[in-house]
Amino acid sequence: MIAPTAAYAAVAAVAEQVRAEQRARQDAELARRLAVIESHRPVPDPAALGAAVRAARRARKVTQAELAAAAKTGVRLVNELENDRRPHLSLTAALTIAHAVGLEITVRHRETP
């Protein structure tokens, strides 16, 4: 028969192994999402910007309310941006929200056809 302390230690070791595997899977998913975000692909429209903000926010495990607080804006604005229900978002708001979630909006010269 196994002593109770040894049994608890064995269960604790298995539980820690499971938690470590979960953390590894979460870290891999976070790295995958951040790689997509940091791919420097053009953002063709506001819906793509909203999707990038949502992906970055979720990758950082931040709620819309926490993002809104960090950006010093309303939750409604963040929600409308992420769900493409804000057709005329100010540049200031877009920059502020993007910065608060760790994204960078850059301006560069685009070759015209």
Side-chain angles (χ1 to χ4, degrees):
M1 177 178 240
I2 299 176
T5 4
Y8 291 132
V11 169
V14 169
E16 181 55 37
Q17 181 180 359
V18 168
R19 283 192 295 273
E21 290 170 0
Q22 288 174 334
R23 280 193 301 271
R25 281 192 301 275
Q26 289 172 343
D27 289 346
E29 176 64 13
L30 176 60
R32 185 192 67 75
R33 287 182 179 183
L34 290 177
V36 169
I37 292 167
E38 294 174 351
S39 66
H40 301 289
R41 286 182 281 154
V43 176
D45 55 40
L49 175 61
V53 167
R54 175 185 287 123
R57 178 182 60 77
R58 287 182 175 171
R60 293 174 182 268
K61 297 180 178 146
V62 175
T63 66
Q64 287 183 342
E66 292 168 336
L67 173 56
K72 296 183 175 75
T73 188
V75 177
R76 182 176 175 180
L77 178 65
V78 172
N79 182 279
E80 289 176 349
L81 170 64
E82 287 187 2
N83 293 297
D84 194 29
R85 292 191 316 245
R86 188 74 171 210
H88 302 291
L89 181 68
S90 75
L91 179 59
T92 301
L95 289 168
T96 302
I97 292 170
H99 178 73
V101 80
L103 295 177
E104 179 180 79
I105 296 176
T106 59
V107 177
R108 64 178 176 84
H109 180 72
R110 178 174 56 97
E111 295 295 323
T112 54

